[in-house]
Amino acid sequence: MPFSLLTGKRADLNEYSHSVYIPELPFTMPQTNVSDGRSDSEDPKLSGTVLVTPSSAEASEDGLGSRDAGADRGAAELAKMGSKKALIAWMILCYSTGPTSSVAISYVTAAIQSLANLLGHVPGHPGKACAKRGVIKCVVKFGGQDIDYNSYLIYINAIGRALQGVGTILFSGIADFSYYRKYLMLGAIILYGTIALPFAGFKDQSYSALTALSVLFVGLNTVQGVYLVIESSYVPIFMRSVGWFREPARISGLETVSPDEDAKRTAKHVFTKGTRVSVLGLFAGNLGGLTGLLIGLVITYTRGSPLKTGYHNFLLAISISGSLTICFAILGGFLLPSIPGLKQPPGTNLALLPVKRWFRLLKSIRKYPEAFKLCIGWVLWYISFSNFISIISLLFREVSGLSSGDRLYTVYSFLNVIYACIGSLTWMFVFPYFNFPIKRWAYGFLSIQFLCVFWGTIGIANIPVGYKHTAEFWVQQAIYLASVSALRAINRVMFASMLPKGAEAQFFGLEVTLDLATGWINTLVQGVIQNRTHNLRFPLLPDLLVLLVSAGFYFWFDLAKGIEDAKKPLDEDDE
């Protein structure tokens, strides 16, 4: 099985016709006769358009015949995804989620933490108000008993993550069919922004307001999983639309050096283009996040002292960000073309289809073992990352001071996204110039993240370091978030390269669902630990363990084999 075009050898493109449709390619490559595989090597600079049609088996499944009018219509629709308009539309949709997503992570949690602190009391002293800075021992009512006020927020987060998994299973199973992908994503994003609108109305300091904020926070978490999995499923679609041929030499770390430099340059360009799609999507989301956080920063610095306005500034910023999400989602949805998906199997109930597809997906572990290994490693890594970010943000507010440190916290939250943008963009520009396989980059970024989490655990001891001074947080966020953003882009590219065609949303849904099906367990454990210790550094211990286990899966999976496995159709022998 030659890895022809991407390892520098001439290809018989019929070999790839089962999995790739290539519209007008935006780069120069030798003309190739698709019907017999012959190439015109006399003029390697000759520009040409390559069209690879689906094989009969896949054409039957997808409803795209290779020689009828349906094929022409399907090909034209798929070709639209290779246009700049489609990429810009997708980036607008990625941008639209950023404002609400960033304030949900930073400001919703901060508002709930502040309100719980105001309503709580010192353990054993019901009439004594809680401290606002340092190591804070504070309990609040939850389920008929008193628990640590930070544990309250951690438990709410665990509930949201569990419900997010349920929603992801239901929607990712049908997103690959017909034209549902675009409209499911658009509807989820608009609903996401709508849930953020009421936050500004809950300004009273009462348990009813705390309950309302908690319910809305769970709602945001639940809907977020749906749009995330469908948004990520567009990455392999864009990669195919620009000529993704399944085996770039750089991505797999193969040592083959081709004498055909022209083909080698073409292969590198194809993979780099696909990588840019992943990074630009993340960048657009981060840019949207900066917009939401900038709104919060301006409001906090212009509406008087935080000691008087308190967390109300955060609530106003959340509602404004929700309205921005809705507006940009409508714009991006209008511009993004709809693409044909799989044809619904005859006699199949669409409501039961997700369950059947998930069972089939789990049966395919033996067919795509490398993709599943990376998926597990990615899931464990994300569990560690998301829980660490949640804990470190709460810890920063305790060290800098609740209310009194709100202005500083808005700057801290803003810089989080700035460093995330720098990390992914820097890796995107640097990667083509360094001759390192992509997995080595992943190893380096994992090492940086391990150091940052470990630094927090040493603060458990009675020593003056371990995130006990605000200066430590500024250093941590710079190196940690830059490496996280870059590794997130790497994960999406590596995983996308190992997916069979027609199951993109479902496989990306598998990653999100496994995270949400298991991530709440670690979050729950953190809540129990925090409730016992009243020290936010103790919950970092399970994070450190999870990160170590995830690193083992990154070392274990074989990317080159996974790319080869992805050429096998999902449906073959799976029924």
Side-chain angles (χ1 to χ4, degrees):
M1 170 61 213
F3 294 135
S4 330
L5 190 59
L6 293 172
T7 52
K9 300 176 182 178
R10 297 295 180 182
D12 181 348
L13 295 182
N14 284 326
E15 181 178 357
Y16 301 99
S17 63
H18 72 285
S19 61
V20 182
Y21 168 80
I22 310 170
E24 296 185 12
L25 299 178
F27 52 81
T28 301
M29 64 179 293
Q31 269 193 338
T32 305
N33 187 324
V34 178
S35 62
D36 59 10
R38 293 174 297 176
S39 60
D40 185 356
S41 59
E42 295 179 0
D43 188 2
K45 298 297 182 182
L46 186 61
S47 296
T49 298
V50 181
L51 174 64
V52 182
T53 58
S55 64
S56 58
E58 182 177 315
S60 174
E61 176 182 329
D62 290 357
L64 299 174
S66 59
R67 297 186 182 278
D68 55 17
D72 295 335
R73 290 193 300 270
E77 290 169 331
L78 284 171
K80 293 177 182 178
M81 295 306 296
S83 67
K84 290 184 178 180
K85 177 183 176 181
L87 180 58
I88 292 174
W90 183 68
M91 290 179 64
I92 291 175
L93 286 170
C94 292
Y95 173 87
S96 71
T97 64
T100 302
S101 177
S102 62
V103 297
I105 295 172
S106 300
Y107 294 166
V108 175
T109 55
I112 294 176
Q113 184 188 30
S114 293
L115 183 54
N117 179 271
L118 291 170
L119 296 174
H121 59 83
V122 176
H125 301 81
K128 188 175 182 179
C130 299
K132 299 292 187 293
R133 189 171 186 175
V135 179
I136 302 174
K137 293 185 178 182
C138 179
V139 295
V140 66
K141 293 185 183 299
F142 180 72
Q145 60 181 342
D146 290 340
I147 64 171
D148 183 86
Y149 83 115
N150 280 318
S151 291
Y152 174 89
L153 181 55
I154 295 173
Y155 288 147
I156 294 298
N157 190 29
I159 295 172
R161 288 171 69 94
L163 292 177
Q164 196 178 50
V166 176
T168 303
I169 290 176
L170 294 177
F171 286 95
S172 64
I174 62 175
D176 290 316
F177 288 87
S178 189
Y179 290 88
Y180 293 132
R181 189 190 308 266
K182 168 185 171 179
Y183 297 109
L184 282 175
M185 179 173 66
L186 182 61
I189 295 175
I190 291 176
L191 178 59
Y192 189 61
T194 302
I195 294 175
L197 296 179
F199 273 91
F202 298 101
K203 296 182 178 180
D204 57 313
Q205 297 178 8
S206 64
Y207 272 99
S208 61
L210 180 62
T211 301
L213 294 179
S214 302
V215 171
L216 290 174
F217 180 54
V218 170
L220 287 174
N221 276 344
T222 303
V223 177
Q224 185 181 40
V226 178
Y227 83 73
L228 274 178
V229 63
I230 304 177
E231 177 187 292
S232 297
S233 73
Y234 274 89
V235 175
I237 293 173
F238 274 107
M239 291 172 73
R240 290 188 179 112
S241 74
V242 297
W244 177 245
F245 281 117
R246 294 294 187 189
E247 179 57 25
R250 285 281 314 288
I251 191 174
S252 61
L254 296 177
E255 300 299 330
T256 305
V257 178
S258 169
D260 190 338
E261 293 299 325
D262 181 64
K264 184 177 179 181
R265 286 195 300 269
T266 299
K268 187 174 181 179
H269 179 84
V270 170
F271 176 64
T272 301
K273 189 71 176 284
T275 301
R276 286 174 181 168
V277 170
S278 176
V279 174
L280 289 176
L282 294 175
F283 174 74
N286 287 334
L287 190 61
L290 286 176
T291 304
L293 295 173
L294 183 60
I295 292 172
L297 193 152
V298 172
I299 291 175
T300 302
Y301 275 86
T302 57
R303 292 192 73 216
S305 171
L307 294 175
K308 295 181 179 180
T309 57
Y311 62 90
H312 299 162
N313 293 331
F314 295 151
L315 299 179
L316 180 59
I318 295 165
S319 296
I320 295 175
S321 297
S323 63
L324 287 177
T325 291
I326 295 173
C327 293
F328 280 96
I330 294 174
L331 175 61
F334 177 77
L335 296 175
L336 186 70
S338 293
I339 57 173
L342 298 175
K343 185 178 180 181
Q344 182 179 343
T348 302
N349 188 327
L350 191 60
L352 298 177
L353 192 58
V355 178
K356 293 183 178 180
R357 296 197 82 204
W358 278 107
F359 276 114
R360 187 186 66 177
L361 187 64
L362 293 176
K363 288 169 57 179
S364 68
I365 293 178
R366 290 180 295 179
K367 183 177 288 187
Y368 312 107
E370 308 309 318
F372 277 91
K373 291 176 188 176
L374 174 59
C375 184
I376 295 172
W378 187 0
V379 165
L380 293 174
W381 168 80
Y382 189 81
I383 290 173
S384 175
F385 153 68
S386 59
N387 287 332
F388 176 76
I389 285 295
S390 175
I391 295 298
I392 206 69
S393 296
L394 298 177
L395 186 57
F396 178 85
R397 297 198 72 225
E398 284 196 347
V399 172
S400 62
L402 303 182
S403 296
S404 62
D406 281 355
R407 288 180 173 176
L408 193 62
Y409 179 69
T410 59
V411 176
Y412 177 79
S413 301
F414 187 80
L415 289 177
N416 278 345
V417 185
I418 290 288
Y419 290 129
C421 291
I422 292 174
S424 57
L425 286 175
T426 301
W427 179 75
M428 181 185 74
F429 287 113
V430 168
F431 175 75
Y433 300 101
F434 285 83
N435 197 26
F436 296 126
I438 198 169
K439 284 188 67 176
R440 292 186 184 176
W441 289 96
Y443 300 153
F445 294 138
L446 283 169
S447 301
I448 294 173
Q449 293 158 33
F450 173 83
L451 177 62
C452 292
V453 179
F454 176 75
W455 188 259
T457 62
I458 67 175
I460 295 173
N462 188 23
I463 58 177
V465 295
Y467 300 130
K468 296 181 178 179
H469 306 278
T470 54
E472 296 174 83
F473 290 90
W474 303 121
V475 176
Q476 167 268 322
Q477 71 170 171
I479 61 176
Y480 182 80
L481 288 168
S483 67
V484 161
S485 181
L487 184 57
R488 187 181 175 192
I490 290 173
N491 286 339
R492 292 170 72 170
V493 173
M494 292 193 300
F495 194 55
S497 70
M498 296 189 290
L499 301 187
K501 186 184 178 184
E504 295 90 356
Q506 197 175 9
F507 267 88
F508 272 102
L510 174 67
E511 180 271 323
V512 175
T513 303
L514 288 178
D515 162 47
L516 300 171
T518 57
W520 64 271
I521 299 175
N522 189 47
T523 306
L524 188 62
V525 170
Q526 287 184 316
V528 173
I529 294 174
Q530 175 62 22
N531 194 41
R532 296 289 182 88
T533 63
H534 301 287
N535 186 338
L536 283 168
R537 294 168 187 83
F538 277 98
L540 295 179
L541 290 173
D543 274 347
L544 190 66
L545 177 62
V546 172
L547 184 60
L548 282 173
V549 176
S550 73
F553 281 92
Y554 277 87
F555 278 98
W556 185 21
F557 88 95
D558 186 335
L559 185 57
K561 183 178 181 299
I563 294 172
E564 176 70 13
D565 290 342
K567 296 176 182 178
K568 295 178 285 189
L570 178 63
D571 287 335
E572 183 182 320
D573 301 326
D574 286 342
E575 299 298 338

